[in-house]
Amino acid sequence: QVYKGLDIITNKVSPQEQRLCRHHMISFVDPLVSNYTVMDFRDKAVALISYIFARDKIPIVVGGTNYYIESLLWKVLINTKEKSSSAPGPVSDRKVELEQLDGAELHRRLSQVDPEMAAKLHPHDKRKVARSLQVFEETGIPHSEILHQQQQEEGGGPLGGPLKYPHSCILWLHADQAALDARLEQRVDDMLAAGLLEELRDFHRRYNCQKVAENRQDYQHGIFQSIGFKEFHEYLVSEGNCSPETSALLLQKGIQALKQVTKRYARRQNKWVRNRFLKRPGPNVPPVYGLEVSDLQRWEEDVLKPALEIVESFIQGREPPAEPLKVEHDVTENKRSHRVCELCDRLIIGDREWAAHTRSKSHLHHLKKRRKLEAASGAAGTVGDSGDTETSDEDGSLPV
């Protein structure tokens, strides 16, 4: 929502809603800027929060992307080189340059300068590996060492530095999965009705068409990361160059893909809240209050009234009537364990990820396939058990 234009695809707050209270950090970055980072967001937002406090107002951070919210709550980000200008501009981005290299080569380089961080990161996670290398190159200090320093500061914890705003609280609006999925599908339909395709066509024509022609399109940085661009890529680049029937099929494919990826992203957001806010160990975690939004007919009773009571209590310095959510943290869980699934030829990092992998469709498919082969091999072996071993090859296998 920081980028100018594209109000539909980024689900911007409507002008009517913006008139109800003052909004910040919306539509101020040129959509062609690709090096706008979470640190740019944090620096501008922290200054705004100070300005709001100075006017005796309460800043409300609305998410959104929980990674960006974390950057405001905790001291977790690392500044590397100072930018030549406070405004985002066409400066060289070392992380983007590193991401162009082969993943194995990146991980090898990181292993040489920061073996601790390399052991934590999956070799395929080029973004994180490139960021850790960038931190070392531009500070001369291993990324892992800087993180340890943050954690050891007064008020720090196992997953980050001290809490920046000690009297903050988190209101988590959540719904049961069926209600959420239906609502997200309807949201995509509403976006289409509001003119989503016209907005995408216009943006593609003005900014992306030439990049596609030169094979320079990049869906990994800047505004192009937004959900909706990749999903309609085929439709946009083929429109006018294929039959109406093919175009209609590509359009439906894009719509279904947008619905699926939107629901997948919502699941990731909820998982982030549980893992990073509710299960986060240490004392530097704000209380998280759950508000049930499955039934919008009960908005006043289930959401608005309890939310106002919680916030009012915090302002007055007393205990809220509602209890914050608590999730047991599994102290035995190893988030950095390394296991190789030889069946799928994959490296899995983390106990929970390993458990999820062993239950995944792809793993179970490979397992079923191997069991069939073993069963067939076993059956073939029983044929040769009659004592006539002369028909076997030298390696003990039966001839075809």
Side-chain angles (χ1 to χ4, degrees), residues 194-211:
L196 173 64
L197 292 179
E198 288 74 14
E199 182 178 87
L200 286 174
R201 281 193 197 101
D202 179 61
F203 190 80
H204 179 72
R205 187 168 52 250
R206 286 190 292 142
Y207 297 118
N208 205 29
C209 205
Q210 188 62 34
K211 288 186 175 185

Side-chain angles (χ1 to χ4, degrees), residues 312-339:
E312 192 68 29
S313 300
F314 265 81
I315 293 171
Q316 295 173 359
R318 56 183 173 83
E319 284 293 314
E323 282 289 318
L325 296 173
K326 293 194 185 306
V327 174
E328 282 298 317
H329 175 65
D330 185 0
V331 293
T332 64
E333 181 189 348
N334 184 353
K335 294 186 176 181
R336 298 301 177 190
S337 63
H338 283 58
R339 294 182 180 90

Side-chain angles (χ1 to χ4, degrees), residues 256-273:
Q256 291 309 312
L258 179 55
K259 289 181 177 181
Q260 288 301 320
V261 77
T262 301
K263 289 186 283 189
R264 201 178 305 134
Y265 182 64
R267 283 174 169 79
R268 284 209 307 272
Q269 286 179 310
N270 285 332
K271 184 179 178 183
W272 187 292
V273 171

Side-chain angles (χ1 to χ4, degrees), residues 24-61:
H24 304 269
M25 305 288 286
I26 294 177
S27 298
F28 66 96
V29 178
D30 189 300
L32 291 187
V33 169
S34 63
N35 63 337
Y36 185 83
T37 68
V38 65
M39 278 185 285
D40 296 313
F41 170 85
R42 179 205 60 188
D43 294 345
K44 185 174 179 66
V46 165
L48 276 167
I49 289 170
S50 298
Y51 166 69
I52 294 168
F53 275 135
R55 293 187 294 116
D56 266 347
K57 302 289 183 183
I58 305 294
I60 302 170
V61 180

